[in-house]
Amino acid sequence: MLLRRSRSVSSLQTNVVRPLFSSSSEPQTTLPSSSLGSACPVEDSSTTGSSSCSPGILNSPHGSCRKSALQKSLFLASAHDFAKNSCWGSPSTLSSVAWRTHDFGGLRLLGTQAAVEASTSDGLTVDRILSNQWPILDENESDWKSHATAISQSINLIKRRLQWKKLLVRLQLLSAQLEKPDIWDDPAHAGRISREQGSLMSKMKQVVAFERELLEHIDMIKLAREENDSDLELDSLNALLRMRRISKEKELEALLAGEQDSCSCYIEVQAGAGGTESMDWAAMVMQMYRLWAQGRGYGITVVDEMLGDVAGIKRATIKVDGEYAFGYAKSEVGVHRLVRISPFDSNKRRHTSFAAVAVIPITGDGSTHVQINESDLRIDRFRAGGAGGQHVNTTESAVRIVHIPTGITVTCQNERSQHQNKASAMAVLQSRLDQLEKARQTQMNMEHTQSLTDNSWGNQIRSYVMHPYRMVKDLRTNFEVSNPDSVLNGDIDGFIMSYLSASVDKDGDSQ
Amino acid sequence: MEELNSHGTRQMKVRLTGFGGLSTFIRPPLHRLKSTPCALSSSVLFSSSSPPASQSHQVPLFLRVPKYATPVSDLQKWYSWASDLAASVGSTFLVSDNGPDSSLLCRELRWLLEDALQEDIDPSLIHQVGVNSAQREVNLKTGIEDLYKLWIQRIEERRPFQYIVGCEHWRDLVLCVQEGVLIPRPETEIIIDLVADVISSNRGLKEGFWADLGTGSGAIAIGTARALGGCGNVIATDLSPVAVKVASFNVQRYGLQGVVEVREGSWFEPLKDVQGKLAGLVSNPPYIPSENIPGLQAEVGRHEPKLALDGGVDGMDHLLHLCQGAASMLRTGGFFALETNGEKQSKLILDYMEKEHRGTFYNAKAVPDFAGVLRFVTAFRV
Ligand SMILES: C[S@@+](CC[C@H](N)C(=O)[O-])C[C@H]1O[C@@H](n2cnc3c(N)ncnc32)[C@H](O)[C@@H]1O
């Protein structure tokens, strides 16, 4: 079996369209030169025709490598490490995928992968599959054309979501920058470039690998038919079915392809005007996020909480720790409106209240790291009046930091020491300033037509109606649900996903 | 490790819980506690707050073993009872002596719960309703009846929260404290920043001996040792044997036995061997004028040790003594930092240095705390 496979694989063709990333003299130089040492098995493998290609290409189709590769690349310190880990993988990765080793002929130049349009031995490509307009049948129907079409559609959608063409151009730009011999003179800058390049590269390679795998299985099916090998045909058909299922997951993953999407984040909720009723609403909104985050297995820490006098909260900030917390939660930014008979109104009148939600990514990798001047800060610490020092024992340790130039104010009171409250207030301030800076840069680059700032404070995004009818409706996507209780119990993924796909797919189409 | 002998009943509970679930039998009638907390005689209630007669320090709540299985519903009952009690305080303490108001007490209650719960349990379960969660059992680090007692002590007796849970979060440290040891103050956190600033601009000071006089819980000594980052040594002294015990425990907890040495004795007495050799001398000695002691906030005046607070007639006794000693203890270029009662004392010290020790110190200045009070005096030995 194995033998046969390798034979069939060697019949795969690739049409080199345009070597996007190769420079004229040294095609490999998309990598920092220091990385081309012994860690690189590619030259050998291609010449012997038996060994492996870059593990990036051979990524497991289950998508599990993606996150870890992404994560790894985020923490890489040097160009050397970077190249070793995120381009070539560790030896163990190589062996674990060795069963699918094959040679893509002209593909050993890393940079050219994306520009090469993969095809089957008889010239079938993803585009051509789609143009055939084969009907998509139910998953249970063992029809390879149907599977292939469904998978191809997903690949197309994923590419659109990733802004494929932009991604390739950006990748080329970054790789060119990394080639410069003096790039590491400024390690912070180089680190940023190399991180971004690594993350884009890994995204690109996943899609390319997925595409290749599709075509490979199609080739295999054709071969099996030629040779009347029904085992092989069934194997390959099942492989396609597996891919078809995975492709749905990959579509979702591609929604969270933004640079900061994988970050943890802060979620802030602030009550609008309207006293106790709106403070109670703010507390309900915060509870909704806590439950949502809990359900997703994220870590939750209360950073700050200012309780209402009678009930609810005036405002609160929680830190949500976990992969893609920001990517999802960013969809919640804006004003949330509640209509109900207020339990705080003795006349049982209907009230409308508002709560504003802000979501701040915790970038942590220093990609946008605003330098904070101590002299720009006013730090207030609350404590009982009087002489202070030995005279007073209080557990009050709240700290408020005002960043004078921007007017951003952060309060933290949930830690048990003032020092810690100051530290977490500074962390929130840092993330806020980073976000502000990011938004400024984004506006400057005109990269995104719709940035977070567009729909932050002041923009109503969702309406929760308890009376006279019951419904939650997102005003951006018109996604609606008739059971407010389940939504308030944290079941907001429907809203998040519909918003994400609406905004990302719109962006993708417009390019 | 847990000290149980100071409290015989707790020892019994431990044995009983060992058989699984039997602890319910010795739980006091909670409904009675709940409805008439004030009716209980304080001598019974406060027995666990008295300092131990034994040789070892008390184990803070958060470090104890979570072996008291308790139904969540019981815990919820306790919590809502305790919240009500806290709410009933309103701002009466605040008005009478600048004590805590109910919102602060409610936060302390959350922290008490946090410390009492086994680590892997989310304290928010206290608000979860529904039969499932209420019937669940969680493990506490002390019996539920003890939690009732502790909270009554907090409210009725104004026993400081930090003594209740046996620890104080100070800077990035969690320091164990108990009756007989001053609870470190947030203002004092700044002394470590001052030390860190000085050694970052004057690396030579990292080497050699530092001293923290009147170390109490060991806060300044441990903070300093960590700021020195593996260089140098810190000698921490205190006259109080309880302080010496507690400081030693804290030093151990942070794995600094080889760096911080705790010595018992009055001010410079235990430091004869390092005379003229100190690279730094830091201290937060008692500085409250004797006449102010009776009017102190209840948590301080009734519960914290007088030895740690009373600075004599104008509060200057120890400060001046330390100034004087610093002159002979510090090596050339050595750093000196004192915490004071505020502007008045800081100026008196600067005056004293100028008049009585002319030419001994340089760069002497008063440094404000976060509230803008000139809280510290720093100087260098010529
Ligand atoms: C205000 S407390 C400071 C404790 C600790 N350094 C802190 O900042 O949290 C003063 C300390 O000085 C100690 N003390 C009082 N008289 C002393 C003396 N004559 N010699 C040494 N220490 C003394 C007290 O026991 C107490 O621990």
Side-chain angles (χ1 to χ4, degrees), chain A residues 267-272 281-282 285 288-289 328-338 353-360 435 450-464 474-476 499:
Chain A
I267 300 182
E268 297 187 351
V269 177
Q270 178 148 9
W281 171 228
V285 171
M288 172 172 87
Y289 293 130
Y328 292 117
K330 68 172 191 228
S331 332
E332 294 296 299
V333 172
V335 171
H336 298 239
R337 168 174 173 263
L338 171 74
S353 14
F354 300 93
V357 174
V359 177
I360 303 137
Q435 189 190 31
Q450 173 149 23
S451 72
L452 258 185
T453 42
D454 290 339
N455 52 8
S456 48
W457 301 82
N459 240 342
Q460 196 177 307
I461 64 156
R462 200 175 298 150
S463 214
Y464 305 68
D474 200 294
L475 308 171
R476 302 163 301 182
Y499 172 73

Side-chain angles (χ1 to χ4, degrees), chain A residues 124-134 136 145 148-157:
Chain A
L124 203 54
T125 64
V126 163
D127 279 346
R128 273 176 222 153
I129 292 173
L130 287 174
S131 65
N132 282 334
Q133 298 194 320
W134 291 320
I136 299 181
K145 286 183 180 170
T149 307
I151 297 166
S152 297
Q153 274 183 358
S154 290
I155 291 175
N156 250 12
L157 181 63

Side-chain angles (χ1 to χ4, degrees), chain A residues 48-110:
Chain A
T48 60
S50 65
S51 183
S52 67
C53 204
S54 144
I57 298 173
L58 298 172
N59 250 344
S60 127
H62 310 287
S64 58
C65 294
R66 177 170 178 262
K67 282 180 188 168
S68 63
L70 205 76
Q71 238 183 351
K72 258 190 218 159
S73 66
L74 283 175
F75 296 103
L76 292 174
S78 71
H80 184 73
D81 283 345
F82 158 70
K84 245 173 35 193
N85 289 326
S86 74
C87 290
W88 306 118
S90 60
S92 62
T93 326
L94 282 177
S95 62
S96 68
V97 293
W99 63 274
R100 288 199 291 124
T101 58
H102 41 216
D103 170 44
F104 290 127
L107 273 183
R108 56 197 171 279
L109 305 183
L110 196 71

Side-chain angles (χ1 to χ4, degrees), chain B residues 253-307:
Chain B
R253 254 190 30 94
Y254 284 96
L256 292 168
Q257 305 90 304
V259 184
V260 182
E261 189 190 332
V262 187
R263 300 181 182 178
E264 188 173 325
S266 182
W267 302 132
F268 299 102
E269 208 178 73
L271 292 180
K272 299 223 166 76
D273 54 330
V274 286
Q275 179 135 21
K277 293 186 195 156
L278 290 181
L281 196 166
V282 283
S283 179
N284 172 24
Y287 56 59
I288 299 181
S290 301
E291 58 171 4
N292 293 348
I293 298 279
L296 286 173
Q297 180 197 343
E299 279 81 1
V300 181
R302 281 199 238 160
H303 297 273
E304 293 197 288
K306 297 282 170 297
L307 181 68

Side-chain angles (χ1 to χ4, degrees), chain B residues 115-316:
Chain B
D115 278 10
L117 267 179
Q118 68 186 87
E119 274 79 11
D120 54 342
I121 298 285
D122 180 356
S124 71
L125 98 164
I126 210 71
H127 304 295
Q128 279 161 20
V129 280
V131 194
N132 280 348
S133 52
Q135 277 173 350
R136 230 177 86 199
E137 287 207 331
V138 286
N139 283 329
L140 298 181
K141 297 179 179 181
T142 188
I144 188 92
E145 63 277 24
D146 197 37
L147 287 180
Y148 278 95
K149 276 188 221 160
L150 289 170
W151 196 244
I152 289 174
Q153 289 170 358
R154 177 70 191 105
I155 306 286
E156 310 253 299
E157 189 70 349
R158 305 279 303 272
R159 187 179 178 208
F161 173 74
Q162 298 91 336
Y163 289 156
I164 300 267
V165 290
C167 73
E168 160 76 338
H169 291 230
W170 190 82
R171 290 188 70 91
D172 51 348
L173 307 169
V174 181
L175 298 164
C176 302
V177 293
Q178 68 186 58
E179 267 82 0
V181 177
L182 186 99
I183 297 157
R185 306 290 197 253
E187 283 90 344
T188 312
E189 292 184 344
I190 294 176
I191 290 191
I192 308 303
D193 294 327
L194 297 175
V195 169
D197 284 352
V198 156
I199 56 182
S200 76
S201 57
N202 187 344
R203 309 212 149 254
L205 288 178
K206 271 191 148 186
E207 316 290 333
F209 288 100
W210 284 68
D212 167 24
L213 302 191
T215 195
S217 61
I220 301 177
I222 292 169
T224 300
R226 283 157 63 98
L228 292 176
C231 313
N233 282 87
V234 183
I235 305 171
T237 72
D238 209 295
L239 186 59
S240 147
V242 187
V244 167
K245 243 171 0 199
V246 170
S248 306
F249 177 68
N250 284 321
V251 165
Q252 256 172 46
R253 254 190 30 94
Y254 284 96
L256 292 168
Q257 305 90 304
V259 184
V260 182
E261 189 190 332
V262 187
R263 300 181 182 178
E264 188 173 325
S266 182
W267 302 132
F268 299 102
E269 208 178 73
L271 292 180
K272 299 223 166 76
D273 54 330
V274 286
Q275 179 135 21
K277 293 186 195 156
L278 290 181
L281 196 166
V282 283
S283 179
N284 172 24
Y287 56 59
I288 299 181
S290 301
E291 58 171 4
N292 293 348
I293 298 279
L296 286 173
Q297 180 197 343
E299 279 81 1
V300 181
R302 281 199 238 160
H303 297 273
E304 293 197 288
K306 297 282 170 297
L307 181 68
L309 302 167
D310 195 337
V313 178
D314 54 1
M316 294 291 292

Side-chain angles (χ1 to χ4, degrees), chain A residues 294 305 381 383-396 413-420, chain B residues 98 104 107-108 111 115 122 162 169 171-172 183 185-187 189 284-287 296-297 300 341 370 375:
Chain A
Q294 231 165 46
E305 193 170 42
R381 309 177 204 224
R383 63 168 303 171
Q390 290 166 16
H391 293 260
V392 181
N393 172 306
T394 176
T395 47
E396 177 64 274
Q413 52 175 346
N414 225 57
E415 299 287 343
R416 281 159 73 162
S417 89
Q418 217 154 61
H419 184 83
Q420 297 289 75
Chain B
N98 248 326
L104 197 51
R107 198 172 321 147
E108 290 180 4
W111 290 338
D115 278 10
D122 180 356
Q162 298 91 336
H169 291 230
R171 290 188 70 91
D172 51 348
I183 297 157
R185 306 290 197 253
E187 283 90 344
E189 292 184 344
N284 172 24
Y287 56 59
L296 286 173
Q297 180 197 343
V300 181
N341 201 20
F370 47 72
R375 175 74 56 195

